[in-house]
Amino acid sequence: MSEQEQAEIRLEFAKLKQDHTDFDAAINAMIAMGCDALQIQRMKKKKLALKDKLKELEDRIIPDIIA
């Protein structure tokens, strides 16, 4: 993987990490305000999808090392 590709992946990772943090804050605010449980559940599902995408990008950045 070239340095350019790795830099692009790291940039996308940073953006998604910030989105994940934003979702966490939004979910906590929704819970505090007593929002609809279905809306909260949907937000949690989106947050989980972001976490999965973060893991995928992290795996692309850090290569597997065969021991």
Side-chain angles (χ1 to χ4, degrees), residues 1-62:
M1 176 182 317
S2 71
E3 286 188 34
Q4 172 80 22
E5 290 172 330
Q6 195 168 18
E8 289 173 2
I9 292 172
R10 288 183 187 277
L11 180 62
E12 185 178 355
F13 182 85
K15 288 178 184 178
L16 290 177
K17 187 77 169 169
Q18 183 61 49
D19 287 347
H20 186 266
T21 303
D22 292 345
F23 267 102
D24 195 36
I27 289 168
N28 288 336
M30 290 172 74
I31 291 170
M33 291 175 48
C35 286
D36 180 39
L38 184 59
Q39 283 183 316
I40 294 170
Q41 195 63 32
R42 286 179 181 156
M43 291 288 281
K44 286 182 177 182
K45 195 170 190 177
K46 288 179 184 180
K47 181 182 165 191
L48 185 59
L50 277 176
K51 186 176 180 182
D52 291 343
K53 182 67 175 170
L54 284 168
K55 181 63 178 158
E56 177 186 319
L57 290 175
E58 187 176 38
D59 288 344
R60 288 178 59 193
I61 293 170
I62 302 170

